[in-house]
Amino acid sequence: MITSTLDHNVGLSERKSLAQIILFCSARAWRGNVRILLQASAILFTFFIIFGLMPEHLDGTSLSGYKDVLTWSDKPRPQANLRIVVFGSPDVAGSAVDPAKQRTTWTEELCNQMNCISHVSLVPSGHGLASNRIYAHELSELRDITEKTDIIEKPALDYDFIGEQYPVPHNVPDFAEQVKQFLAMPPPKPIPRETIWVFTFGSWEIWNLAAMPQDTAEKIITTTAKAIFDQIELLYTAALDAESPAHSDFWSNATDSQIVQLTNPETIKDLDVRTLESFRILIPKLFDITITPGWGTRLPPTFPGSRSEHTRNALRLIRCWNQAMEYRLNDWQAKGARKPAGNDDSDSKEAGQIGPRSRFGPGNGRGGTWQQQESLFDWLPASLQPKALNHTRFNDNSMINASYPYRNGLHIDITESMLDAMTEEDMQRAEVHDSEGHGTLERDDSRRYLNVWTPCVKPSTNDLAVDMDSMTVGCSVPNDHLFHDPFTLSNRAIVSLGPPMYDEVMSKLFVQQPKNSWFY
């Protein structure tokens, strides 16, 4: 009993002492130091708000990598500086940049969704082809057939109208010329860490080839597909040169753990290929150009040809084009990280294996000496520097052994939702619906377009020939229209392509890293 009473008294005394200490500290704070406490709290709150809202990386500045100081995670944080480069011809989804900047393109919308640092487009405004040379050669072959044929007895072999109605677009740069223009550009500043290469050819091949004999048209598609991937491989080779505008600086400021993980032949086997240095390409599947408002403006062919025959031809050729692209893409991806043909890197090993790669900054080719960019963190003691930068200051070995970039690509259907919109409106007009819900959307539903057949902007026509240089405004509410002009989706439709396209690109070409910021 005595022991229990003593314990009770001691516990009560301790609680009184703790209460007295709290009261003393509170009184001191409220008497003279409350202002200091409030100011310190405001400064800390502002500090974390600013750095919480700033982007993950400020590449190209002395503050690059600043968030490595503020993170609680030991995992390496991948750089966010992504670039999108576009080659091709104008497609139905809208890949040609509007000079007036009043309308966006689907590649610009993808760039916005992915928060990329730059968007470079080589797509001309004219209706060009992937290879003028291939098309001109086959057109010449058909012309020779016509010259050697009595077209009165065999009118079906009169192909002269093809050269007249669908001539070689010599004034519009083809893929090879676009690549030359791009490689003549100065290197970008800052150099991107990753690049997505987009190729939007095909729509105007179908427009022209629908008038040709099927065997000739399919031959052109097969040959053109090979020519496209020859140019893609040329860009891949150019991307290995650190002085080229095609180069992406994947290894700059890489952490020691990243380098060990991504260059060790044993660990690479177990890694998702999407985490490795990659040359990523994106090829959209062709939209059915025969259901655009502009298809009906085709000139009538000579007898015995017809527009309906051209429509049937186009449908077969669209499937043929998509299959040829799929086959070539799979064949190209199968090369993996294989050394490109004709590369004169004598220091590298056999095809697709390990070779010397530079670790810092731009230099002369894959084996060049790269200069480090000065950072404000260089003034800090080594123990306080961010882990992503600390190894670069005192490590004299600026070279690493890494494989060539992996070839990775995606053949994507970006306009499937537009077909749903056209189906929806036709079923609404017919007052019918199906088991999938088509024909049931409300009038103000965001997925509906009240006019899916009439373009907002109409071209002037002469004998049904499209004059795209002479356009007239044909609508008062552009957002109600699915098509902006006879061959291009409206801006609202293009913007709607962004989110689903972003999801597919990120899931197929990248490994999404979870955010580890304290703020979001």
Side-chain angles (χ1 to χ4, degrees):
M1 178 68 69
I2 297 175
T3 304
S4 175
T5 304
L6 289 175
D7 289 341
H8 174 74
N9 292 335
V10 170
L12 182 61
S13 175
E14 289 179 348
R15 287 196 293 271
K16 288 182 178 180
S17 299
L18 179 61
Q20 291 174 352
I21 293 174
I22 293 175
L23 289 175
F24 174 78
C25 292
S26 300
R28 293 287 299 176
W30 284 108
R31 285 178 183 177
N33 298 326
V34 64
R35 180 178 299 177
I36 296 176
L37 290 174
L38 292 175
Q39 289 176 343
S41 300
I43 291 173
L44 288 174
F45 181 75
T46 303
F47 175 82
F48 281 105
I49 286 292
I50 292 175
F51 281 92
L53 294 177
M54 286 176 72
E56 293 280 334
H57 296 271
L58 298 177
D59 295 282
T61 72
S62 59
L63 286 177
S64 178
Y66 72 95
K67 272 198 173 181
D68 291 326
V69 178
L70 303 178
T71 181
W72 282 268
S73 174
D74 292 330
K75 296 181 180 180
R77 300 174 62 87
Q79 294 190 28
N81 50 338
L82 172 73
R83 170 182 63 169
I84 291 181
V85 181
V86 191
F87 300 89
S89 57
D91 58 9
V92 176
S95 59
V97 176
D98 180 15
K101 300 297 182 182
Q102 296 179 349
R103 290 168 34 80
T104 188
T105 67
W106 69 265
T107 54
E108 288 175 321
E109 190 60 29
L110 178 62
C111 185
N112 292 335
Q113 291 285 328
M114 303 192 72
N115 196 29
C116 64
I117 60 172
S118 67
H119 175 274
V120 180
S121 177
L122 282 296
V123 179
S125 58
H127 298 163
L129 304 174
S131 176
N132 290 339
R133 179 186 58 81
I134 293 174
Y135 180 71
H137 173 75
E138 295 301 328
L139 202 59
S140 176
E141 294 286 327
L142 293 177
R143 191 179 299 112
D144 290 342
I145 293 175
T146 301
E147 291 178 355
K148 298 175 182 178
T149 303
D150 185 351
I151 61 174
I152 296 179
E153 293 185 2
K154 299 180 179 179
L157 297 182
D158 182 6
Y159 301 124
D160 284 343
F161 78 95
I162 300 177
E164 297 171 358
Q165 297 179 5
Y166 310 100
V168 181
H170 289 297
N171 61 326
V172 182
D174 62 5
F175 192 9
E177 184 60 32
Q178 292 176 30
V179 170
K180 289 180 181 178
Q181 294 176 6
F182 175 74
L183 295 180
M185 295 179 178
K189 294 182 179 180
I191 299 176
R193 185 177 188 268
E194 307 272 9
T195 299
I196 296 179
W197 305 89
V198 184
F199 308 100
T200 66
F201 296 100
S203 295
W204 299 104
E205 276 82 0
I206 302 302
W207 175 265
N208 288 8
L209 300 184
M212 288 187 168
Q214 283 295 287
D215 55 346
T216 301
E218 291 178 3
K219 177 183 177 182
I220 292 177
I221 288 177
T222 302
T223 309
T224 299
K226 180 181 182 303
I228 287 175
F229 276 86
D230 286 344
Q231 292 296 321
I232 291 175
E233 192 69 1
L234 178 62
L235 289 170
Y236 176 92
T237 303
L240 301 176
D241 180 5
E243 297 292 344
S244 170
H247 181 67
S248 297
D249 191 6
F250 181 82
W251 296 102
S252 179
N253 290 333
T255 63
D256 287 329
S257 60
Q258 285 177 313
I259 293 173
V260 170
Q261 183 184 35
L262 300 179
T263 60
N264 188 331
E266 297 302 322
T267 60
I268 285 179
K269 297 177 182 179
D270 301 326
L271 291 177
D272 189 325
V273 69
R274 295 172 298 171
T275 64
L276 305 175
E277 181 184 14
S278 300
F279 187 92
R280 296 177 173 88
I281 69 174
L282 184 64
I283 300 177
K285 295 180 180 179
L286 291 188
F287 184 85
D288 186 358
I289 195 174
T290 67
I291 60 177
T292 63
W295 184 258
T297 64
R298 291 175 66 88
L299 287 169
T302 58
F303 179 82
S306 65
R307 291 198 190 95
S308 59
E309 179 189 15
H310 288 187
T311 301
R312 290 194 299 271
N313 291 345
L315 293 175
R316 286 194 295 268
L317 293 175
I318 290 172
R319 289 194 296 269
C320 180
W321 178 276
N322 287 335
Q323 289 171 357
M325 289 295 109
E326 189 77 24
Y327 169 77
R328 287 291 175 181
L329 176 60
N330 292 337
D331 187 58
W332 179 78
Q333 288 187 106
K335 296 179 181 179
R338 189 180 306 167
K339 175 183 176 181
N343 187 274
D344 59 355
D345 185 0
S346 59
D347 294 330
S348 64
K349 307 296 181 184
E350 293 300 321
Q353 301 306 314
I354 302 299
R357 301 295 297 277
S358 183
R359 187 172 181 174
F360 315 120
N364 299 320
R366 293 179 65 248
T369 300
W370 291 30
Q371 298 297 325
Q372 293 177 250
Q373 294 181 349
E374 185 178 1
S375 169
L376 289 178
F377 291 114
D378 289 339
W379 298 93
L380 294 175
S383 59
L384 297 180
Q385 290 188 9
K387 294 180 180 179
L389 301 177
N390 192 24
H391 74 281
T392 66
R393 187 176 180 187
F394 302 106
N395 193 341
D396 293 330
N397 182 15
S398 62
M399 302 303 299
I400 58 175
N401 286 325
S403 66
Y404 286 91
Y406 279 77
R407 295 165 177 85
N408 196 3
L410 176 61
H411 196 203
I412 185 174
D413 187 353
I414 64 175
T415 54
E416 182 179 3
S417 60
M418 299 302 100
L419 293 176
D420 291 339
M422 300 178 81
T423 302
E424 173 67 28
E425 203 55 33
D426 280 352
M427 297 186 74
Q428 289 277 355
R429 293 183 180 184
E431 297 182 348
V432 296
H433 59 85
D434 61 15
S435 59
E436 295 183 359
H438 293 123
T440 61
L441 297 181
E442 298 295 332
R443 183 180 179 87
D444 58 350
D445 192 286
S446 61
R447 292 169 291 176
R448 280 196 65 180
Y449 296 85
L450 301 182
N451 194 323
V452 297
W453 295 112
T454 305
C456 185
V457 178
K458 302 176 182 179
S460 298
T461 60
N462 181 18
D463 294 330
L464 293 180
V466 181
D467 181 8
M468 298 299 290
D469 294 329
S470 180
M471 307 289 285
T472 57
V473 177
C475 66
S476 57
V477 187
N479 283 342
D480 284 350
H481 291 251
L482 181 63
F483 287 92
H484 169 70
D485 61 45
F487 297 103
T488 313
L489 295 177
S490 66
N491 198 64
R492 174 192 162 202
I494 293 173
V495 171
S496 71
L497 300 177
M501 185 166 43
Y502 165 81
D503 292 338
E504 185 165 4
V505 169
M506 289 300 298
S507 64
K508 299 294 179 58
L509 296 183
F510 295 90
V511 174
Q512 300 188 55
Q513 299 293 336
K515 295 179 179 179
N516 59 355
S517 171
W518 65 272
F519 192 75
Y520 53 87

